Amino acid sequence: MNIDLNKIELLLRDSKLIQRIFYYEFIDSTNDVAKDLMGHGLLVIAEKQKRGKGRRGRLWISPYGGLWFSLVMKLNRNRYPIPLYNLMVGVAVARVIKKLGLDVCLKWPNDVIINNKKVCGILSEVIKDRIVIGIGINVNVDIQEFPIDLRSSVTSLMNELGNEVDREELLVNIIKEIENMYLKFDKNEILKSWKALDMTLNKYVRVLLNNKVIEGLAIDIDNDGALLIITSNNELMKFYSCDVSIR
Ligand code: BTN
């Protein structure tokens, strides 16, 4: 069944964040449409994406049954470091998935993980004073829909629960979590909530940055959202965006 737009509009009628909702059956990428539309408080949803965008130029496989959406919000970059917006959205998604009874954790900078497999990815793009945050969640997706090489590292909510999840309620609950955090933007709360769910901290990690591999112990998330690592040479390094794997 397609996403019920009327239900989403009804459930979000009192939203202080969402002003307009755009729904598409099949588009290249909700982030790209959101970037063209711009504004503030926009929500762009697609049933399927042809060329869903992942981090670092990767393709994001977006079959029917998932939740593929982007939000456009005003950015207050003088007060709040941009990486904190990502962490805020990761926390929002994780909180809502946890309420479904699943044991969920977060992998810096923005993966939502269940049983060591990725269930959701987040891609933010900044344009002037706006941030477009794209959220992709494998909701009612059969793992066989993914290419064979990805099947051991991805999961879906349906796969974990053994039953389908109401996509409209999931979306609305995530938006409400984001809205609450965005409106008060309490940096400490965002960081504290992220750290409580983070699977990267206190682990030996391998960071891939510009084709260079750096290994070390992930010791903390800094107040600006960066990952802090102590390397084997006892050097403290700070990362804002990179690929991290746990050794
Ligand atoms: C990642 O690589 O983990 C980020 C994936 C982000 C995917 C979402 S799906 C909705 C939005 N539109 C896109 O093209 N990408 C994001």
Side-chain angles (χ1 to χ4, degrees), residues 8 21 28 59 88 116 152 157 186 193 197 200 221 236 240:
I8 293 174
I21 305 177
D28 279 352
L59 179 72
M88 173 181 81
N116 269 320
S152 59
L157 296 179
D186 178 342
S193 304
L197 291 164
T200 327
I221 309 289
L236 180 65
Y240 286 94

Side-chain angles (χ1 to χ4, degrees), residues 82-100:
I82 290 164
L84 280 185
Y85 287 82
N86 275 333
L87 301 191
M88 173 181 81
V89 171
V91 167
V93 173
R95 279 183 185 168
V96 173
I97 292 182
K98 212 176 172 68
K99 285 191 193 134
L100 297 174

Side-chain angles (χ1 to χ4, degrees), residues 59-83:
L59 179 72
W60 182 260
I61 311 285
S62 324
Y64 187 82
L67 208 43
W68 325 119
F69 63 103
S70 301
L71 286 168
V72 186
M73 297 185 285
K74 269 189 208 135
L75 195 61
N76 193 340
R77 68 166 92 212
N78 298 331
R79 290 188 65 186
Y80 310 120
I82 290 164

Side-chain angles (χ1 to χ4, degrees), residues 29-31 49 51-55 60 68-70 111 118 121-123 134-136:
S29 154
T30 54
N31 264 36
Q49 296 182 118
R51 290 190 195 83
K53 300 196 303 186
R55 290 176 59 231
W60 182 260
W68 325 119
F69 63 103
S70 301
D111 290 350
K118 183 158 165 171
I122 297 158
L123 175 74
I135 305 169

Side-chain angles (χ1 to χ4, degrees), residues 204-205 207 209 212-220 227-239:
Y204 283 94
V205 295
V207 172
L209 186 71
K212 208 175 142 207
V213 177
I214 300 149
E215 293 188 333
L217 180 67
I219 56 159
D220 205 0
L227 179 68
L228 295 175
I229 288 180
I230 301 241
T231 67
S232 36
N233 319 328
N234 249 350
E235 194 185 345
L236 180 65
M237 294 187 79
K238 191 164 173 169
F239 297 93

Side-chain angles (χ1 to χ4, degrees), residues 30-159:
T30 54
N31 264 36
D32 286 349
V33 170
K35 279 195 292 184
D36 286 345
L37 293 165
M38 271 301 142
H40 166 70
L42 301 189
L43 169 62
V44 181
I45 314 166
E47 223 46 86
K48 285 200 290 181
Q49 296 182 118
K50 254 183 267 176
R51 290 190 195 83
K53 300 196 303 186
R55 290 176 59 231
R56 308 196 162 270
R58 294 185 196 113
L59 179 72
W60 182 260
I61 311 285
S62 324
Y64 187 82
L67 208 43
W68 325 119
F69 63 103
S70 301
L71 286 168
V72 186
M73 297 185 285
K74 269 189 208 135
L75 195 61
N76 193 340
R77 68 166 92 212
N78 298 331
R79 290 188 65 186
Y80 310 120
I82 290 164
L84 280 185
Y85 287 82
N86 275 333
L87 301 191
M88 173 181 81
V89 171
V91 167
V93 173
R95 279 183 185 168
V96 173
I97 292 182
K98 212 176 172 68
K99 285 191 193 134
L100 297 174
L102 291 167
D103 197 6
V104 64
C105 56
L106 293 163
K107 181 164 157 279
W108 188 92
N110 46 23
D111 290 350
V112 184
I113 307 284
I114 302 175
N115 286 330
N116 269 320
K117 294 177 178 186
K118 183 158 165 171
V119 71
C120 163
I122 297 158
L123 175 74
S124 340
E125 300 182 73
V126 172
I127 296 147
K128 293 183 191 151
D129 62 343
R130 296 285 187 275
I131 185 162
V132 173
I133 305 196
I135 305 169
I137 311 175
N138 305 327
V139 185
N140 301 323
V141 181
D142 188 332
I143 301 308
Q144 305 303 320
E145 297 269 359
F146 292 97
I148 201 152
D149 55 316
L150 285 183
R151 286 184 203 158
S152 59
S153 56
V154 298
T155 191
S156 70
L157 296 179
M158 183 175 78
N159 190 46

Side-chain angles (χ1 to χ4, degrees), residues 6 14 29 83 163 207:
N6 288 334
D14 297 326
S29 154
N163 54 263
V207 172

